[in-house]
Amino acid sequence: MTKKVDNENIISRQGYRNTKSRAAVVEILENAEIPLSAEDIYLRMKESGRSASLSTVYRILELMENNRLVERTSVNNNKAMFTLVRSGHKHHLICTSCHKMVALGGCPLKGLESDISRETQFDITGHRLEVYGICPECRKR
Amino acid sequence: MTKKVDNENIISRQGYRNTKSRAAVVEILENAEIPLSAEDIYLRMKESGRSASLSTVYRILELMENNRLVERTSVNNNKAMFTLVRSGHKHHLICTSCHKMVALGGCPLKGLESDISRETQFDITGHRLEVYGICPECRKR
DNA sequence: GTAGATGCAAATTTTTTGCATTTAG
DNA sequence: CTAAATGCAAAAAATTTGCATCTAC
């Protein structure tokens, strides 16, 4: 598991400075199995004694997004959620009642992108998939 | 094409009043092949002489969402986009450069929801899929 | 030392809400 | 007539920006 080092390198490799805040954002996203909002990240940084301002968090996320290190997802009503781009990308199942997220195995889009590219003439760069439902706990209520 | 009547009925059928603003929102969403933001809808209502306040548009969309007449998608940076729920649901291909949207045929999730349900014990209620890429026009530049 | 990163406060943008007024049923 | 819908203005929530200060390189 040298992911952490890899990601820090990705930031510095692109000519950006490897600051504590950036390392913290990368590490927090790495250890999150589910998408996080900017505020989630901000709070986790604070808790772990690596406080940065919320605007810094937004700026780091913007930088990472531009460099394809994170993807922006929207889930919890009008709040942007961010996920680290990993080699094996994931999709999530979200309970519409309690907002719990569960990672799904596999990607049903695999192999389909080339078909879409041929049909539409677009260069396909990625996709976002979320599945919604009611989790067993919420159903019981 | 009696979609319009159908949708108006859906609103009134649920015990809600069939107002001009509501009919206008339904009609505008019907004629849109792509997701629209609340403001898009607000502007189209104004253009077509059926002005309503932006807050009314938001309230109508909220009502429709709660009654599963529209789905909320987020695409254009931090702006909620709304799509009318139709029997044959659609997914979209979005140019990350100019934000153009193109509807895709077919749904690769068809049939997959029952597998996910079995594996996770969730009741699956829906999903959202967006594919990203660069359109031919933007690629040329 | 210097360009780039950060913090803070203020500005913008998007969405929601309170309340008086209007309207569909 | 009456509950529900709307408009308006103000509030709240989320994100971005300007500028002075700090820090990685």
Side-chain angles (χ1 to χ4, degrees):
Chain A
M1 290 296 153
T2 49
K3 273 276 172 66
K4 185 176 175 181
V5 172
D6 285 354
N7 277 304
E8 285 179 14
N9 282 348
I10 290 171
I11 286 186
S12 41
R13 209 173 283 155
Q14 315 231 359
Y16 302 109
R17 294 186 180 169
N18 184 22
T19 67
K20 279 181 200 173
S21 299
R22 286 174 179 173
V25 170
V26 169
E27 195 235 274
I28 285 167
L29 281 170
E30 238 158 39
N31 295 331
E33 345 66 69
I34 55 169
L36 299 177
S37 69
E39 196 178 16
D40 290 337
I41 295 169
Y42 165 79
L43 290 173
R44 291 182 191 205
M45 288 173 77
K46 198 180 240 175
E47 279 168 21
S48 61
R50 293 173 293 181
S51 295
S53 71
L54 191 52
S55 38
T56 295
V57 175
Y58 273 109
R59 282 191 274 230
I60 292 173
L61 289 169
E62 187 188 20
L63 178 80
M64 293 180 73
E65 189 187 19
N66 291 340
N67 289 279
R68 296 176 189 273
L69 298 179
V70 298
E71 277 177 359
R72 185 184 293 241
T73 309
S74 166
V75 174
N76 288 344
N77 277 351
N78 310 321
K79 250 187 168 175
M81 307 293 280
F82 299 85
T83 320
L84 197 70
V85 173
R86 300 163 185 280
S87 38
H89 92 163
K90 287 248 166 147
H91 297 302
H92 294 87
L93 172 56
I94 300 150
C95 176
T96 53
S97 170
C98 68
H99 295 149
K100 175 171 34 193
M101 290 189 183
V102 175
L104 290 175
C107 171
L109 269 286
K110 213 191 300 177
L112 204 79
E113 298 195 339
S114 56
D115 293 353
I116 294 173
S117 180
R118 183 161 8 84
E119 285 165 25
T120 62
Q121 314 292 326
F122 273 54
D123 292 334
I124 306 300
T125 55
H127 63 262
R128 177 186 302 169
L129 170 65
E130 288 162 5
V131 181
Y132 303 106
I134 304 289
C135 72
E137 288 74 26
C138 287
R139 187 174 44 220
K140 280 179 202 153
R141 288 170 203 147
Chain B
M1 290 293 157
T2 50
K3 273 280 173 66
K4 186 177 174 181
V5 172
D6 285 354
N7 277 304
E8 286 179 14
N9 283 348
I10 290 172
I11 287 186
S12 41
R13 209 174 281 156
Q14 315 228 1
Y16 302 110
R17 294 182 181 174
N18 184 21
T19 67
K20 279 180 199 172
S21 300
R22 286 174 180 174
V25 170
V26 169
E27 194 234 274
I28 285 167
L29 281 170
E30 238 159 41
N31 295 330
E33 347 64 72
I34 55 169
L36 299 177
S37 70
E39 194 177 18
D40 291 337
I41 295 169
Y42 165 78
L43 290 172
R44 291 183 189 204
M45 287 174 76
K46 198 180 237 173
E47 278 169 20
S48 62
R50 293 173 293 181
S51 295
S53 70
L54 190 53
S55 38
T56 294
V57 174
Y58 272 109
R59 282 192 273 231
I60 292 173
L61 289 169
E62 187 188 19
L63 178 80
M64 291 179 75
E65 190 187 18
N66 292 340
N67 289 280
R68 297 178 189 273
L69 297 179
V70 299
E71 276 176 0
R72 184 184 294 241
T73 309
S74 167
V75 174
N76 288 344
N77 277 350
N78 311 322
K79 251 188 166 175
M81 308 292 280
F82 299 85
T83 321
L84 198 69
V85 173
R86 299 164 186 278
S87 38
H89 93 161
K90 287 248 166 143
H91 297 302
H92 294 87
L93 173 57
I94 300 149
C95 177
T96 53
S97 169
C98 67
H99 294 149
K100 176 170 36 192
M101 290 189 184
V102 175
L104 291 174
C107 171
L109 268 288
K110 213 192 300 178
L112 204 79
E113 298 196 338
S114 57
D115 293 353
I116 295 173
S117 180
R118 182 162 11 83
E119 285 166 25
T120 61
Q121 313 294 324
F122 274 53
D123 292 335
I124 306 299
T125 55
H127 63 262
R128 174 186 304 168
L129 169 65
E130 287 162 7
V131 181
Y132 303 106
I134 305 289
C135 72
E137 287 75 27
C138 287
R139 187 175 40 220
K140 278 178 203 154
R141 286 172 205 147

